[in-house]
Each structure stands twice: as structure tokens, then as C-alpha cells.
Amino acid sequence: MGSTDALADVHVGDPYPVYEWLRETAPVYRCRGDTYLLTRYPDCRRVLTERELFLAPGGHPPSGRTAGHASPPVLSRVMSSQNPPRHTRMRTAVARRFAEHLRGQQPWLSRLCDQLFEPVVETLSHGVADMTPLAEAFPRDTIMHVLGLPRTDRELVSALVADIFPTSGPLPGSERDGGAAMRRLTDYLHREVARRRCAPGDDLTSELVRAHTARPEALPHDELVSILTGLTVAGFPQIAAGIETGIVLMNRHPERSAFLDDPVSARMFVDELLRYDAPVQFTPAPRIPARTVVIGGVTIPAGARVWPVLGAANRDPAVYFRPDEFLPGRRGPRHLSFGGGAHYCLGAELVHLEIAMLLGRLRQRLPDLVQAQPPAQRYGRLRGFTSVPVMRTER
């Protein structure tokens, strides 16, 4: 394998054999100059949790060497690319409000889930249905409801996020320019913020606008819009991928779907699918060593780009028993699909709630669902499937 073969193979095919080769042969893998991939769980966890040593790429890097490694402009201002004090200020402004806003949303989510199921049930009464539109609509409509974005803008938001999301990560194609889509999205969110100033509601955007108005020094306007941008971009593609993977796993392992029958074991099912096939294979931004560091016997210079490969870490056989098997309820450390440390996924609880609710509803309403044709796997940083054709055995 040459210096760029590993990235090319992950981009176009099944990444897990490549990850296995990397973990065994080159767990700290240098590619494209000063870019390094990490594939072992302890190394990935270290980089995710030691934030004084491994910096996010946004803001103003502390050394001259890091200056050439800022985030791509399309992602440079979102919260996941920031360091303290900016990251701390942004996270403090949104974390409690986001959690409080989600309390009491379960009845609304349940109604949305039922509404989205109806056309699927109707289609299945006549034959085969593709489950990916349902998997995408549920988390998209949820985050738009949380933010108070008009339902009439669903297609616009979907299209913009689809153009922006692939521009992060170290894989081929991530260097493409998503700037036009990001500008359209931020302009759209600026208009939504202005609308809330005139007509506030009970949504999260309105709460953040009120916080900005009360204490603009604690939540500057540009950071408010950056928070909304990050929530919109991160709010549904990976949850949709998790739902798609969950449906496929239910069909492949119907005996394990019983885990979805109560909330405690349903969480085990969701955590295991997130470990088994992480919806997002890489962190959204690299980490930048503040000084020269040694990882796995490899010296990495200050200012290099270090990418924890979440999908590889989650299948590290030194950490997980039979890691290539889907085993809900397994013992072991927490998977890294939500990242770690100060940048641990803000919406982790919402991810659990949405995936468990939709898969549980699927088991209740369509217990005789089976795979109609092989699902089409999505390759690259975002996993999941581009089509999941299913049918009922009884109609």
C-alpha cells in the first residue's frame, strides 16, 4: 500500500479491511505531507480528550506552524473547529438551552414519526419501499423543528447540507469547495435570526436570540449564527445514516431486534450499531498538536493534521471482543462515534432518542418487514445506505 492508497480505498469501498491493515501495520499512518491517520482506540481517545495538547483547527493557532492548517473556510467557524475561549463560550451558550428545549419533545417526535410512517405503510401495501427517505426525513424535520425553521424550507436545507457535509474529512473529494452552499446557508440563518428579533417563538433559535440580546458579550452575533450553522449541518445526515444502518441490521439479525422492546435495551442496540458501523467515520475536523508529540512510536510535529479514524477505533480488537460482529449489550468502553472530551457530541441524547424511536416503531408497526433487494452501501466519511429496499411478508 502506497502513501495515499489507504485513503483511496476507504473512499471507494469497504473501509474495514483497510482499517484492520492500518491498525496492524501502520496505526499512525502518514499521508499527504503532515497529515496522520490514527486507527487504534487508545490513540484516538487520547487525541480526542487531551485538548490542551491537541487543538481544534479554528480560530487563531498559537504557533506559526499551525497557521497553515486552519479549517477550510466552509467549516472554520462552527463550534467543532474552535478552541477555548471561543469554544467554551459557544458551548456554554447552547448546551443547557439545547438540553432544556429537548425535554418534553418526545410526544411531538412520536407524532412526527407516525406521520412519516403513513406513506411508507401505504407503499408497502403495494410492494417494495425504499426506507432511506424516511430515515432522512425524521432527523431533518426534527432539527428544523428544534430550531424553528419553516417546514416549507425542508428541501432547501437538505440540498445545502448535502453540499456542505462532504467537505470535511481527509478523504479524496473533501477538498472540494462547499463555500457557496455554506454562504447560502449562513445567509438563510441570518434571515431567520432577524425574523426572531421581530417575532420570537418558543424554538431554540429564539432562545439564543434572546440570550444574545441580553448579553451580547457572552454570545456575539457571529457565534450565534455559527452555532445554528453547526446544528443544522450536523443535525441530521449522520442520524439518518444511523437509522439506515439500523434498519439493515434489523433485517440481518432479526433475533436481536428484541433489544428495541424496552428503553434500556434499546439504548444498547443503538450504541452497538453506532460502534459497529459509525455513521461518521472521521472527526469533522483534524486535531493539531500544539507541540511535537509521539504517538504509537511515531513522532508527529507541532502543527500537523491528526485525524482520529472513529470507525477503525470502534473495531479495535485490543479493546472489543469479536469487534466485527454486531452484538447489542456487549461489554467494553464507550464507542468513539460521538467523539470525546470537550467536543463530545452535543446532540448525543437526541441521536439515541431518534434512532431508538424510529427503529422501535418499525418493529411494532411492521414486524414482518424483510429485505427485498440488497441495500446500497454509502462509502466515504458518511456511512449508511443510499437505498434500503424492503417488503412485507404479509400484506
Side-chain angles (χ1 to χ4, degrees):
M1 218 177 250
S3 61
T4 60
D5 286 351
L7 287 176
D9 290 345
V10 168
H11 184 59
V12 301
D14 180 1
Y16 293 106
V18 182
Y19 295 161
E20 182 180 9
W21 180 89
L22 287 170
R23 279 193 309 265
E24 293 177 356
T25 308
V28 181
Y29 180 89
R30 183 176 181 177
C31 55
R32 296 192 201 165
D34 280 349
T35 296
Y36 295 80
L37 304 182
L38 307 183
T39 50
R40 289 181 177 169
Y41 184 99
D43 297 336
C44 290
R45 189 177 185 281
R46 179 190 177 193
V47 169
L48 291 170
T49 55
E50 295 184 13
R51 79 172 182 178
E52 287 82 12
L53 178 56
F54 297 100
L55 306 174
H60 302 286
S63 72
R65 181 168 185 120
T66 61
H69 294 289
S71 297
V74 69
L75 294 171
S76 61
R77 302 191 70 81
V78 299
M79 190 162 59
S80 61
S81 291
Q82 306 310 310
N83 295 299
R86 182 179 171 93
H87 176 267
T88 305
R89 187 168 59 241
M90 294 172 74
R91 182 93 180 194
T92 300
V94 69
R96 176 180 57 81
R97 293 180 174 91
F98 185 76
E100 289 178 352
H101 193 77
L102 292 181
R103 294 194 191 110
Q105 291 293 319
Q106 192 157 344
W108 183 90
L109 284 170
S110 183
R111 291 193 297 272
L112 173 64
C113 196
D114 286 335
Q115 291 169 9
L116 294 172
F117 256 95
E118 292 309 318
V120 176
V121 173
E122 174 63 21
T123 301
L124 285 167
S125 69
H126 302 290
V128 175
D130 180 9
M131 300 300 282
T132 55
L134 170 64
E136 293 166 6
F138 186 46
R140 179 201 62 202
D141 291 3
T142 296
I143 195 62
M144 291 187 69
H145 171 73
V146 168
L147 298 180
L149 305 181
R151 292 196 71 187
T152 51
D153 295 337
R154 288 174 296 180
E155 299 307 318
L156 169 65
V157 171
S158 289
L160 293 177
V161 171
D163 282 345
I164 294 166
F165 197 88
T167 62
S168 62
L171 296 178
S174 61
E175 69 278 0
R176 78 181 199 185
D177 183 16
M182 181 61 92
R183 284 190 294 273
R184 288 185 65 194
L185 180 61
T186 52
D187 287 348
Y188 168 78
L189 293 171
H190 275 292
R191 292 193 296 271
E192 287 297 311
V193 167
R195 189 163 68 87
R196 292 318 187 290
R197 288 201 175 99
C198 300
D202 60 358
D203 52 80
L204 182 59
T205 301
S206 296
E207 291 181 27
L208 292 172
V209 169
R210 284 190 285 269
H212 164 70
T213 302
R215 292 187 61 205
E217 74 282 0
L219 182 58
H221 176 80
D222 67 321
E223 292 181 8
L224 189 164
V225 174
S226 293
I227 289 169
L228 297 176
T229 302
L231 289 173
T232 304
V233 173
F236 64 88
Q238 54 266 61
I239 303 178
I243 292 171
E244 292 155 3
T245 299
I247 295 171
V248 170
L249 289 171
M250 289 174 69
N251 284 325
R252 289 177 180 171
H253 307 282
E255 75 287 354
R256 292 169 199 166
S257 297
F259 274 83
L260 295 165
D261 290 345
D262 76 79
V264 174
S265 59
R267 190 179 185 91
M268 296 178 185
F269 187 98
V270 173
D271 271 324
E272 176 64 355
L273 78 84
L274 294 173
R275 182 209 66 83
Y276 175 76
D277 198 4
V280 177
Q281 296 282 293
F282 298 84
T283 52
R287 292 294 177 260
I288 313 298
R291 61 178 185 271
T292 298
V293 62
V294 177
I295 302 177
V298 176
T299 300
I300 300 177
R305 301 167 73 92
V306 179
W307 291 91
V309 186
L310 308 179
N314 285 344
R315 292 208 189 183
D316 188 341
V319 174
Y320 295 106
F321 174 68
R322 287 154 54 184
D324 295 326
E325 296 182 35
F326 176 67
L327 299 173
R330 70 162 60 243
R331 297 179 182 274
R334 185 168 62 186
H335 61 75
L336 297 182
S337 296
F338 291 133
H343 291 275
Y344 186 79
C345 177
L346 182 69
E349 287 305 311
L350 182 60
V351 173
H352 279 112
L353 176 60
E354 288 187 82
I355 297 178
M357 180 179 288
L358 192 142
L359 297 183
R361 196 64 50 87
L362 188 66
R363 177 168 164 79
Q364 293 166 7
R365 295 193 59 176
L366 300 167
D368 59 331
L369 209 62
V370 296
Q371 181 177 296
Q373 300 164 18
Q377 182 79 61
R378 184 186 294 110
Y379 296 114
R381 178 173 174 253
L382 182 67
R383 290 284 286 175
F385 295 82
T386 58
S387 72
V388 182
V390 297
M391 60 186 292
R392 303 189 69 172
T393 56
E394 299 178 9
R395 280 188 268 160

